[in-house]
Amino acid sequence: MALTFRGGIHHEEEILTANLPLKEMPSPDFVTLPLSGHGADVARPLVAVGDRVLKGQKIADGEGNVAPIHASISGTVSAIGTYPTPSGEEECIVLQNDFKEELSPEVAPFDTPIGKTEPEALIRHIREKGIVGLGGTGFPTWAKLEEAQGKATRLIVNCAECEPFLTGIHRLLLEKTEEVVGGVKILMRAAGVEKAVFALEDDKEDAADAILKLVRGSQNFAVAVLKTKYPQGDERQLVRALLRKEIPKDALPTSVGAVVFNAETCWSVYRAFVSGMPSITRLLTVSGDCVKEPSNLLIPMGTSFRAVLDFCGGFSTKPDKLLSGGPMMGHALWSTAVPVTKKVGGILAITSPLYKASPCIHCGRCVKACPLQLIPSELYRSVEKGDMNNARFYDIEQCNDCGCCTYVCPARIPILQNIRVGKEILAKKRT
Ligand code: SF4
Ligand code: SF4
């Protein structure tokens, strides 16, 4: 029987793109590259307006949790300033394309065999290539590796893609299997871990077979099949389902001996070593009933949503909702004039019936669905009343934004929306 966790939901499948091979989008007229990292730190530009830059060249760097930023096209720095992004207003570098695709000399294969390289040197290279988690959080991969050393005994490859509509990871696993497995091997050496398990949902059997073909017979690798359920891709649920262990509140997977990397991150690591290409490509599913040609794409980082949607034929009908990400955890956007960043894995344009919320009927469905065993009805009520002490008492900050509570609520109460407001209020109070 497929492994799983308590709570969560099984949503109606909305898969328009599962059988569509990955397509490389040609580079756009310009790209907008945000300078912010994970948290509040921001990278410093290493270039000035008017400078010529080459594809793969490092154009900004910083300290702490900031990853170096690299040019995803060759061209000229046309502006440095504040621009709208899917995460709000951010400092960005804008590059105008010269369409010469000229590669920076920094883009070169790693020059020593991985097996003979010290883990610290591997970690330094991963940082230098700007690799962060591509599962949505943008957490620095080098920081995760440093944290894993000496604590983790098992690496989990998160191949779960549980949000409706999103299929890019599934295609990546089918089409770039060797590269993903190659990246996993590099990460294992960097983390000092001897065992890796690929975790996939049971609707991706073909991808599980493709991986098994490469790792069958090895004591170091396993493929685990999980029940197709949302939010299976959440690290806590993944660890719960696979290891039957609970990550303590405010702790990391290393507290139970595991380190988790998203499959696309593993692919980026492979490219960073084999060709020396930094993290300048984004895997993206563009989908929804309003998109003329739904697609799985590989696009230059920083391409605008508008250019991506144009490449997909534009809208067939005017969408009611434009989302950055999937329908469960994605953020609504009011404009297509924002760039695709390292935190964006999907673009959805959908028509959605307009529901009116009615009062809570105390059915308890939200409580049953919450994979973290929170009491969502209590959380949204506390935020509505402005009682942040109560919200905190009920652990609002533990909420992972999965949206299961909102999905199951028969009263159509925007529970997650309220919870997000509450978390923002508490975050502001802390700063
Ligand atoms: S309260 Fe948070 S974690 Fe629980 S179901 Fe709602 S969104 Fe998910
Ligand atoms: S699911 Fe909706 S109606 Fe039911 S208890 Fe939760 S908030 Fe109330």
Side-chain angles (χ1 to χ4, degrees):
M1 205 177 76
L3 302 161
T4 194
F5 60 95
R6 201 178 119 201
I9 52 168
H10 185 77
H11 46 67
E12 294 298 314
E13 292 300 311
E14 291 280 2
I15 298 178
L16 307 174
T17 50
N19 297 318
L20 301 177
L22 294 172
K23 268 194 287 192
E24 275 196 43
M25 181 182 161
S27 64
D29 292 346
F30 68 93
V31 293
T32 306
L33 300 161
L35 297 176
S36 46
H38 188 79
D41 302 325
V42 176
R44 278 183 323 277
L46 303 173
V47 289
V49 173
D51 285 358
R52 172 129 207 278
V53 295
L54 303 178
K55 185 172 173 177
Q57 178 184 331
K58 183 159 81 169
I59 55 170
D61 204 350
E63 324 248 292
N65 280 336
V66 174
I69 314 291
H70 300 81
S72 54
I73 55 175
S74 66
T76 311
V77 179
S78 59
I80 300 177
T82 307
Y83 290 87
T85 75
S87 315
E89 300 258 298
E90 291 182 82
E91 271 293 291
C92 298
I93 296 180
V94 184
L95 304 179
Q96 201 62 38
N97 205 341
D98 63 8
F99 294 101
K100 292 185 179 157
E101 293 284 314
E102 211 177 318
L103 265 192
S104 161
E106 294 165 31
V107 181
F110 193 68
D111 53 8
T112 49
I114 304 295
K116 291 189 178 151
T117 309
E118 288 303 313
E120 284 67 28
L122 300 177
I123 292 175
R124 273 199 302 279
H125 187 72
I126 285 168
R127 185 194 178 278
E128 195 52 30
K129 294 297 172 185
I131 295 174
V132 299
L134 296 169
T137 63
F139 190 79
T141 300
W142 68 90
K144 223 182 213 189
L145 286 165
E146 282 165 357
E147 156 73 22
Q149 286 182 331
K151 291 186 193 154
T153 53
R154 196 181 307 234
L155 187 151
I156 298 173
V157 189
N158 189 352
C159 306
E161 194 167 44
C162 48
E163 281 252 16
F165 290 98
L166 303 189
T167 53
I169 293 288
H170 191 176
R171 295 309 311 176
L172 187 81
L173 294 168
L174 286 173
E175 296 177 38
K176 314 270 185 199
T177 326
E178 283 190 33
E179 297 177 17
V180 174
V181 173
V184 172
K185 289 179 180 168
I186 298 169
L187 286 165
M188 286 166 78
R189 178 151 179 90
V193 170
E194 295 203 341
K195 289 198 185 302
V197 51
F198 293 82
L200 299 91
E201 295 131 309
D202 55 9
D203 62 350
K204 295 185 180 62
E205 264 181 42
D206 48 0
D209 288 345
I211 297 167
L212 266 174
K213 259 191 205 153
L214 295 178
V215 302
R216 189 173 276 130
S218 165
Q219 299 284 315
N220 302 97
F221 298 95
V223 176
V225 179
L226 309 162
K227 195 168 163 186
T228 303
K229 190 161 94 165
Y230 177 84
Q232 188 61 84
D234 177 69
E235 278 191 0
R236 279 175 188 269
Q237 312 318 323
L238 209 51
V239 167
R240 222 178 243 167
L242 278 177
L243 309 182
R244 299 274 167 230
K245 285 183 181 166
E246 199 66 39
I247 302 173
K249 197 169 140 183
D250 298 326
L252 297 169
T254 47
S255 62
V256 293
V259 58
V260 184
F261 292 102
N262 163 276
E264 188 186 351
T265 310
C266 301
W267 181 62
S268 291
V269 167
Y270 177 88
R271 285 158 50 91
F273 282 84
V274 172
S275 64
M277 194 58 85
S279 181
I280 57 169
T281 303
R282 185 74 243 222
L283 171 66
L284 198 69
T285 301
V286 185
S287 193
D289 56 339
C290 303
V291 177
K292 265 198 193 146
E293 294 164 26
S295 309
N296 293 305
L297 301 177
L298 293 170
I299 67 153
M301 202 73 78
T303 303
S304 74
F305 275 46
R306 186 176 297 153
V308 174
L309 285 161
D310 284 349
F311 182 69
C312 295
F315 296 132
S316 47
T317 37
K318 192 169 177 284
D320 294 318
K321 253 190 189 173
L322 179 67
L323 290 169
S324 161
M328 301 298 291
M329 292 184 81
H331 290 264
L333 294 175
W334 310 112
S335 159
T336 54
V338 290
V340 174
T341 67
K342 291 180 185 178
K343 294 179 187 169
V344 176
I347 300 178
L348 287 193
I350 47 178
T351 46
S352 67
L354 293 172
Y355 294 115
K356 226 175 150 220
S358 52
C360 172
I361 55 169
H362 304 284
C363 66
R365 285 192 207 173
C366 55
V367 180
K368 199 166 161 221
C370 179
L372 299 182
Q373 280 84 59
L374 302 175
I375 307 177
S377 49
E378 201 56 52
L379 295 178
Y380 96 79
R381 263 195 295 271
S382 306
V383 177
E384 259 188 1
K385 285 192 280 181
D387 187 348
M388 300 316 294
N389 284 338
N390 207 49
R392 201 178 243 155
F393 176 81
Y394 282 101
D395 274 336
I396 191 169
E397 284 153 310
Q398 293 299 312
C399 166
N400 65 9
D401 285 17
C402 72
C404 291
C405 47
T406 307
Y407 183 85
V408 297
C409 177
R412 305 283 179 194
I413 296 168
I415 306 174
L416 174 57
Q417 208 173 303
N418 274 295
I419 291 176
R420 278 181 174 157
V421 169
K423 287 200 288 185
E424 271 168 32
I425 294 171
L426 288 174
K428 276 191 193 137
K429 277 191 180 167
R430 272 199 304 274
T431 54

